[in-house]
Amino acid sequence: MPRGHYSLHDTHDHTPLGEEHFHCAPGPSGWRYVSQRVNPTGDHSGSVDLALDELGRPIRLELNAASWQVRGAAIDGVTWVRTDPTGTHATEGNVPAHAFTGTSPAFLIATARLLRLTPDATATRVRLVAFTDPVLAPRTVDQSWALVNRQTHTTDNAPLTVDEYQVTALDTGEQHSVHLSGDVVLSAPGIELENLETPPSVFD
C-alpha cells in the first residue's frame, strides 16, 4: 500500500498550495485512493476519497474543500451532487463524460487506469468533469492522452517502470507531461512527490 505525500503548487507562478498526504492500494474490485490536504500553514483544507472498478471507472468519489462537498460516480456518464458549506443547498449534475478530474494526483492515476494506453497506441481523447478549487465548481474538459515513453529502472527492491504521458488540453492546445509509476505520480504540473514510504503498486 503506497503511502506518502505530495506538495502542490500553482502551475503559473509556483505559489505553494499545500500538501496532500495519501495512501492507496489495488483491491479485488479495483483501486482506492484516500488523502487529506493541508494548506501552507498546516491547517486541514480538504480530502479526497476515490474508488475505481477493475476497468478504471469511478464507482465512488467524495471530495471536500473549503466546506464544499462533492459526491459522484459513473452513472449515465458521470453524475454528482455538490453541497454548499451551509449544507442547505445541493445541486445535482450529469454529463456524458468518461470520468472525473481535479487537482489531486489521484485523478491522473485514475485517467491512466481508465485509458490503459500502450506505447505504440495513438493518442486517445477523453472527456472529464473537473472540479476546480477552492469551491469544487464543475467544468467539462476534453483532453488527449498519449503514452510516449516507458522505461524500467533498477532499484534495490524491484524494477521500477515509469510511464511518461503527454496530455493535451483540446480547447487550448496546451501540452504537458505526466510521469507515473504504478499508482504513484512521480511528477506532473503543480505536483511533486515529496515522500513515499512504500513502493508503488504494480497493476496487472
Side-chain angles (χ1 to χ4, degrees):
M1 177 185 294
R3 182 184 301 270
H5 77 269
Y6 299 100
S7 62
L8 308 175
H9 59 266
D10 188 282
T11 56
H12 300 290
D13 60 12
H14 300 287
T15 300
L17 300 178
E19 295 181 344
E20 184 163 324
H21 296 256
F22 73 94
H23 62 271
C24 57
S29 61
W31 178 76
R32 187 179 181 196
Y33 177 101
V34 177
S35 69
Q36 299 291 327
R37 284 190 165 189
V38 295
N39 61 26
T41 62
D43 296 324
H44 184 264
S45 61
S47 62
V48 179
D49 188 342
L50 174 64
L52 309 179
D53 67 11
E54 59 184 6
L55 298 178
R57 298 171 299 193
I59 54 176
R60 187 183 71 256
L61 169 67
E62 183 173 319
L63 295 177
N64 290 276
S67 299
W68 291 84
Q69 182 185 77
V70 166
R71 290 184 176 180
I75 303 172
D76 296 327
V78 292
T79 298
W80 68 92
V81 176
R82 177 173 173 262
T83 307
D84 72 308
T86 66
T88 57
H89 301 287
T91 56
E92 183 173 332
N94 173 265
V95 170
H98 299 94
F100 300 109
T101 191
T103 56
S104 172
F107 294 114
L108 298 175
I109 301 159
T111 302
R113 291 296 299 155
L114 178 70
L115 298 179
R116 297 175 187 266
L117 300 175
T118 57
D120 56 349
T122 58
T124 298
R125 178 172 177 160
V126 61
R127 173 162 289 183
L128 305 167
V129 172
F131 294 107
T132 57
D133 292 333
V135 296
L136 303 180
R139 182 170 62 94
T140 303
V141 299
D142 291 304
Q143 296 178 343
S144 172
W145 280 60
L147 178 54
V148 296
N149 191 23
R150 172 172 286 166
Q151 294 185 336
T152 300
H153 303 271
T154 302
T155 69
D156 293 338
N157 298 315
L160 186 71
T161 299
V162 178
D163 289 338
E164 179 186 356
Y165 294 88
Q166 184 180 76
V167 181
T168 304
L170 295 181
D171 56 345
T172 64
E174 181 181 359
Q175 294 183 335
H176 62 266
S177 295
V178 173
H179 292 83
L180 306 180
S181 180
D183 54 359
V184 172
V185 178
L186 300 181
S187 66
I191 300 168
E192 294 293 338
L193 179 64
E194 298 291 347
N195 172 259
L196 184 64
E197 297 178 9
T198 50
S201 301
V202 177
F203 292 113
D204 293 334

